[in-house]
Amino acid sequence: MKTGLPLLIVAALALPTPGVAAWSRSWAVAPQSPGKPGDLPDLTGRTLRQVVRISSGGARIRLRLTNELSASALKLGSVHVALVDASGKIVPGSDRAVTFDGVAAPTIPDRAPLVSDPIALRVAPLTHVAISLYFPQGAPDPTVHGYAAATAWIAAGDQTGAATLDGATKFTQRMVIDAIDVDTPQRGSTVVAFGDSITDGVRATADADTRWPDQLAERLQKAGRTSVGVANLGISGNRVLAEGAGNNALARFDRDVLSIPGVSHVIVLEGVNDIGGATARKTPLPTVADLTGGYRQMVARAHDKGVKVIFATILPYKGAGYWGAEGEAVRKQVNTWIRTNTVADGYVDLAKAVADPADPDRFAKAYDSGDALHPNDAGFTAMAAAIDLKLLR
C-alpha cells in the first residue's frame, strides 16, 4: 500500500533535530595572504582586539579562526569574546573565555581553520562583538583580511579578558578571525555578499557599518527577517577570472560561498576589475562570453548545493583611472546579459541605483566617493535599498 510516508520522511529530515545546533553565519571576511614580511606589526606577547558587528542573532555563538593561507602553525595563548555597547565599551559580565575542543590555548595547524566550541553568549541581531586574541609567540605568517572598515587595537601582554586595553595602538586589518556563527532556535539562513572592493566597503566611513551588506542586514532585520544573516565576502581588487587581490572569484567560490553554514543565497557583484584591469595593463579585454561564462559556472556550482544566485549589474566607473571606451562597451553588454539571463535566480540593478541619470556611465555625484569607482556611504545606502528582499526568500 502506497502512502505519503516518503514525503513525511523528507519533511522531517529538513527540520532541525532537537538538541542539535542550527548554525548559520552572521559575520564573515574572506581569508587573504599576509603580503610582504614586515607589512604587519610584531604581535609577540601582545593582544589583538577586533570588533565586528554581527547581522543575525542567536542563543549561542561560535568563532571560526583561520590559518588557511599560512605556511606555519599558529599558537594562541588565550581567546576571549565580549559584547560591545554603543559607546564602544565592553558590556560588564559579557566576557567569555573561548575554548577549542576544550583547549583554551590552541594551536591552529598550517593551512587550516579552527572552529571554537559553542560559547554561551546570547547575542541580539546587529550586535557588536569584541574578539581578543593573545599571541605568546607572535604571528609571523598570519592569514588576514586586508580591509576592515573598522578599528582594531594591539596591546602588550595578555589582556584578552580586560574591559579596557592598557596602552593600545590602532590596527586597520582583520587578522586570524574570519567568521562568527549563531545558533538559533529555528534554523537561520545566510545571504553571502560576494564581490570586490565595492562589496568589501572601500571608502565607507570606518567604524560606522555603512557598507551595502551592512545596510542590507539592517533592512532584513527591519523587515522582520530576524533569522537571516548577511556575510560579506568581498575582497578589494578581486576579479572573476584572473588572479588579483586574493584568488579569482571562481577559485574561491566554494570556500567563500558554498561552505558557509546556512547559506541560502549569494549576491554576486564582480567584474569591473577584470575589465578595468585589462584596460590599465593594455592587455586583451575579457569578452562578454568570458565573463558570463564565469557567472554561469557560479550558478551551476551554487545550484548543485541548493543555493540561489542573484547577480548585480556592474556599477558605472567612467572617470576612474582604468576606465576606457572599449571596456565600457563590455560592461554594458555584460549588464544587458545580467538583466535578461534565465540561468540565475534573479538580479539587482545596482548600476542603475547609483548612476547619474544625465550620464549613466558615471556615478551620480551624490553617491560618488570621489574616485568615480567606489560609492560613498549614501551610495551604499542606495545600493542596499535597491535590493528587492523578495529575491532573498
Side-chain angles (χ1 to χ4, degrees):
M1 180 178 66
K2 292 184 178 180
T3 70
L5 184 59
L7 292 178
L8 293 175
I9 292 173
V10 170
L13 291 174
L15 295 173
T17 303
V20 176
W23 297 108
S24 59
R25 191 134 295 170
S26 184
W27 174 86
V29 292
Q32 292 181 262
S33 298
K36 300 176 184 177
D39 284 351
L40 297 173
D42 180 8
L43 291 175
T44 305
R46 290 178 168 83
T47 294
L48 171 63
R49 177 166 292 172
Q50 303 169 79
V51 176
V52 308
R53 192 187 75 170
I54 62 172
S55 51
S56 52
R60 301 184 298 173
I61 65 172
R62 68 180 183 185
L63 302 184
R64 186 183 191 274
L65 307 183
T66 178
N67 202 38
E68 292 163 275
L69 300 180
S70 304
S72 55
L74 179 64
K75 174 65 177 177
L76 296 172
S78 179
V79 180
H80 280 239
V81 299
L83 303 182
V84 176
D85 65 20
S87 67
K89 296 180 179 179
I90 298 295
V91 175
S94 69
D95 180 77
R96 303 286 190 274
V98 183
T99 58
F100 301 80
D101 294 322
V103 177
T107 296
I108 311 177
D110 58 288
R111 310 298 181 189
L114 190 66
V115 178
S116 78
D117 300 326
I119 303 161
L121 183 64
R122 184 175 293 276
V123 291
L126 308 179
T127 294
H128 287 89
V129 177
I131 305 165
S132 301
L133 310 170
Y134 174 58
F135 299 90
Q137 300 170 7
D141 181 33
T143 298
V144 302
H145 183 80
Y147 183 77
T151 305
W153 294 269
I154 299 171
D158 184 356
Q159 300 190 47
T160 50
T164 303
L165 295 183
D166 183 36
T169 58
K170 292 183 179 180
F171 180 65
T172 57
Q173 297 184 40
R174 300 298 188 194
M175 186 183 295
V176 180
I177 63 171
D178 79 336
I180 295 180
D181 299 332
V182 295
D183 179 14
T184 52
Q186 293 184 339
R187 188 172 297 279
S189 62
T190 300
V191 177
V192 173
F194 188 69
D196 49 40
S197 58
I198 295 169
T199 296
D200 208 10
V202 168
R203 298 298 182 107
T205 299
D207 302 309
D209 304 309
T210 57
R211 300 170 296 179
W212 73 260
D214 298 326
Q215 298 194 56
L216 175 60
E218 293 171 7
R219 286 194 62 211
L220 286 162
Q221 291 300 316
K222 290 176 182 177
R225 307 279 297 280
T226 56
S227 63
V228 181
V230 178
N232 187 335
L233 276 300
I235 295 180
S236 299
N238 203 229
R239 303 173 192 165
V240 175
L241 302 171
E243 295 299 292
N247 294 333
N248 65 70
L250 294 181
R252 68 186 184 95
F253 192 74
D254 286 26
R255 180 196 71 189
D256 291 347
V257 178
L258 301 185
S259 70
I260 298 291
V263 60
S264 59
H265 297 74
V266 55
I267 302 175
V268 179
L269 173 58
E270 191 141 15
V272 69
N273 289 324
D274 294 75
I275 300 168
T279 299
R281 296 188 306 273
K282 295 182 170 56
T283 56
L285 288 166
T287 66
V288 175
D290 291 335
L291 286 172
T292 58
Y295 296 154
R296 287 176 182 273
Q297 283 290 308
M298 294 184 203
V299 172
R301 288 155 64 181
H303 283 179
D304 282 346
K305 301 294 185 180
V307 176
K308 293 184 178 180
V309 180
I310 311 298
F311 285 127
T313 49
I314 301 172
L315 273 53
Y317 70 110
K318 188 175 182 179
Y322 62 10
W323 185 88
E326 293 182 359
E328 177 63 27
V330 173
R331 181 185 77 92
K332 287 178 177 174
Q333 292 174 66
V334 169
N335 281 352
T336 296
W337 181 89
I338 288 173
R339 294 181 180 114
T340 58
N341 85 89
T342 57
V343 297
D345 301 284
Y347 80 95
V348 290
D349 204 342
L350 299 187
K352 182 178 179 181
V354 300
D356 182 347
D359 185 0
D361 296 350
R362 296 180 181 271
F363 263 92
K365 288 184 179 180
Y367 299 149
D368 185 2
S369 67
D371 65 0
L373 177 64
H374 298 96
N376 57 19
D377 289 352
F380 288 126
T381 300
M383 292 170 68
I387 298 171
D388 184 352
L389 299 187
K390 293 178 182 177
L391 291 171
L392 305 179
R393 294 190 180 279

